[in-house]
Amino acid sequence: MDSYPLDQASPYPASAIADAWQRERPGTPTDSIGIVTPLWRLAKLFADDRRRLLTELGVDPATLDLLSVLRRAGTPYELTTRQLAERTLVTAGAISQRVARGEQAGLVERRTRTDGSRAVVVSLTEAGHALIERTVDQVLSRESELVSSLTPTERDLLASKLQLLLDDVTNRVASDPGKPARGR
C-alpha cells in the first residue's frame, strides 16, 4: 500500500487565484502567482512521488542525496564534509548526521585526512555504491517520465529559464534576506 499518496493537482488554476486577488485587492501585485503557484504544486507532487518511490526502494531522501553527491564526484567517490555541505545545500550538522547514519548502515566510511588538516573525508563503500547504482536509474527514469509531456526542446528551454529564475531569486534573497525581492 502506498504510504505517500500523491495529492491531486488543484482544479483551481493559478489564474483564478490571481483574478480573485485582483477583485478583492485591486492593485495588489499578482503577476507572480501564475509562476510561483504551479512551481509550489509541482515541487510538492515531485517530492511526494520521489518519496513514494524511495520508500519502495528502501532509501530515504537524505541518504539518496548523500550517496548521489558522492557517486557524482567520480572515482574514488569521496568528498570532504565541507564539500558535501556545499553540494547538498544543508548545514554541516545535517551532513554530520547523514554521514553517521550512512556509516552505521555500511554505506559510507569517514576518515580524517592525513595531511595535517582536520578535514574529514567521506567515501562510498561497496554497499553504498551498489545502492546508488541500483536506485539512481529508477529515480531518474521516473522523473523523466513525469516530464515526458514536454518535447526535448521544451525541456531544455524550461530548464534554462528555471535556472535563470533560480539564480536571480537566490541572489536577491542572499543580498537582503529580510526584505521582499520586489522593487529592486
Side-chain angles (χ1 to χ4, degrees):
M1 186 167 166
D2 190 354
S3 61
Y4 291 101
L6 293 178
D7 289 343
Q8 295 298 312
S10 173
Y12 196 55
S15 61
I17 295 170
D19 291 346
W21 279 120
Q22 279 300 305
R23 183 187 69 242
E24 295 299 315
R25 293 186 47 93
T28 296
T30 58
D31 56 322
S32 64
I33 292 173
I35 297 167
V36 175
T37 299
L39 286 175
W40 276 111
R41 290 174 178 172
L42 280 168
K44 177 155 182 21
L45 289 169
F46 283 134
D48 287 350
D49 190 70
R50 181 180 268 204
R51 228 180 343 269
R52 179 199 52 76
L53 178 59
L54 292 178
T55 297
E56 290 174 10
L57 297 172
V59 182
D60 66 90
T63 299
L64 177 72
D65 193 29
L66 174 66
L67 300 179
S68 294
V69 170
L70 288 168
R71 177 60 177 89
R72 289 192 313 264
T75 304
Y77 311 117
E78 62 183 31
L79 294 168
T80 65
T81 52
R82 172 181 237 144
Q83 292 170 314
L84 285 168
E86 290 168 356
R87 294 180 190 191
T88 58
L89 303 177
V90 299
T91 65
I95 284 298
S96 180
Q97 290 176 355
R98 288 179 181 188
V99 170
R101 284 193 311 267
E103 198 172 36
Q104 286 176 334
L107 303 173
V108 298
E109 294 174 336
R110 68 176 138 184
R111 69 182 188 288
T112 305
R113 274 207 173 135
T114 58
D115 63 2
S117 71
R118 296 186 323 200
V120 175
V121 177
V122 180
S123 57
L124 278 178
T125 62
E126 284 185 34
H129 190 272
L131 180 59
I132 193 62
E133 292 297 306
R134 188 171 69 241
T135 58
V136 70
D137 283 345
Q138 291 180 63
V139 170
L140 295 179
S141 292
R142 174 61 180 164
E143 290 173 356
S144 182
E145 177 187 323
L146 292 175
V147 299
S148 67
S149 65
L150 300 173
T151 67
T153 301
E154 290 169 331
R155 285 192 295 261
D156 289 345
L157 179 60
L158 181 58
S160 171
K161 296 297 184 187
L162 286 172
Q163 189 61 54
L164 285 172
L165 181 60
L166 177 60
D167 292 345
D168 182 62
V169 171
T170 299
N171 289 334
R172 288 173 185 256
V173 170
S175 68
D176 192 354
K179 183 178 179 186
R182 238 173 40 101
R184 294 197 189 171

